[in-house]
Amino acid sequence: STAPLALGAAIGGSVAHPAETVKSGFTLAATTTLLVDTGNASHTNSWTWSLTGPRGSEASLRAFNASSNSLLSLPAGTYEFSVAFGDLSTGTYNFRLVDAATTPVLAPDVATQLTLDPASHAQAYQLVVPEAGDSVFNPASYTNYGSGWRVADRRGNTLRSGHRGAPPEPSSLRGGRVS
């Protein structure tokens, strides 16, 4: 059976029996950019997630540790999100599905301090870049060099990114709304 899922809520559970798949469902009323945050699970290299909807498979057997912050552009419709333990083991999982349009909007020219809680989860923001001319995005500093950042367009395409101790460098962005 498929359990209802609330966008934005932390969803946690466990797989108690080998080869068990846990399914959750939700409905989108309009085209939505969805952040799939699979940040907290035991044995993250063994957990997989899949998403099916009106177009068929949107994502299939993605590893939790390889996709901790996937962005997907999805049309209106009914969806099923499935979680399974890939190596026939058991354990606990935690994930969130976040509508990118509900995330906070960053103010231009204002530094934003961020502490992830829990540290394994992602935090998404919107950034409105003025149409008149380019803007510069400057990820000023990291205190945790194991974390990463990504600027994506509304379709989930990565425009800029950085992580794992790479020194942050300013980069230009064209006008529009990004996450």
Side-chain angles (χ1 to χ4, degrees):
S1 88
T2 301
L5 181 148
L7 294 184
I11 308 296
S14 64
V15 168
H17 307 287
E20 179 182 12
T21 298
V22 178
K23 298 178 180 181
S24 301
F26 61 96
T27 300
L28 299 175
T31 298
T32 303
T33 300
L34 198 67
L35 168 69
V36 180
D37 177 16
T38 56
N40 192 16
S42 60
H43 312 291
T44 56
N45 58 332
S46 298
W47 284 105
T48 61
W49 64 271
S50 300
L51 181 66
T52 57
R55 298 186 294 205
S57 177
E58 296 288 348
S60 181
L61 300 175
R62 291 196 183 176
F64 266 50
N65 67 341
S67 57
S68 62
N69 55 353
S70 296
L71 280 171
L72 302 169
S73 180
L74 303 172
T78 300
Y79 290 85
E80 184 176 82
F81 188 88
S82 302
V83 176
F85 215 176
D87 67 1
L88 301 179
S89 297
T90 60
T92 60
Y93 62 87
N94 185 290
F95 67 90
R96 293 181 306 149
L97 302 180
V98 180
D99 179 350
T102 66
T103 61
V105 177
L106 291 176
D109 299 319
V110 175
T112 300
Q113 185 76 16
L114 172 65
T115 301
L116 297 176
D117 185 23
S120 58
H121 277 293
Q123 175 62 52
Y125 294 94
Q126 296 180 65
L127 177 62
V128 179
V129 180
E131 295 290 342
D134 289 346
S135 293
V136 175
F137 173 72
N138 185 7
S141 65
Y142 296 89
T143 56
N144 177 355
Y145 286 99
S147 60
W149 60 268
R150 178 170 73 147
V151 177
D153 65 16
R154 288 182 179 203
R155 293 178 303 279
N157 299 316
T158 299
L159 304 174
R160 304 283 184 272
S161 65
H163 58 83
R164 305 210 190 282
E169 295 183 19
S171 55
S172 295
L173 297 173
R174 292 188 321 185
R177 184 177 291 265
V178 295
S179 295

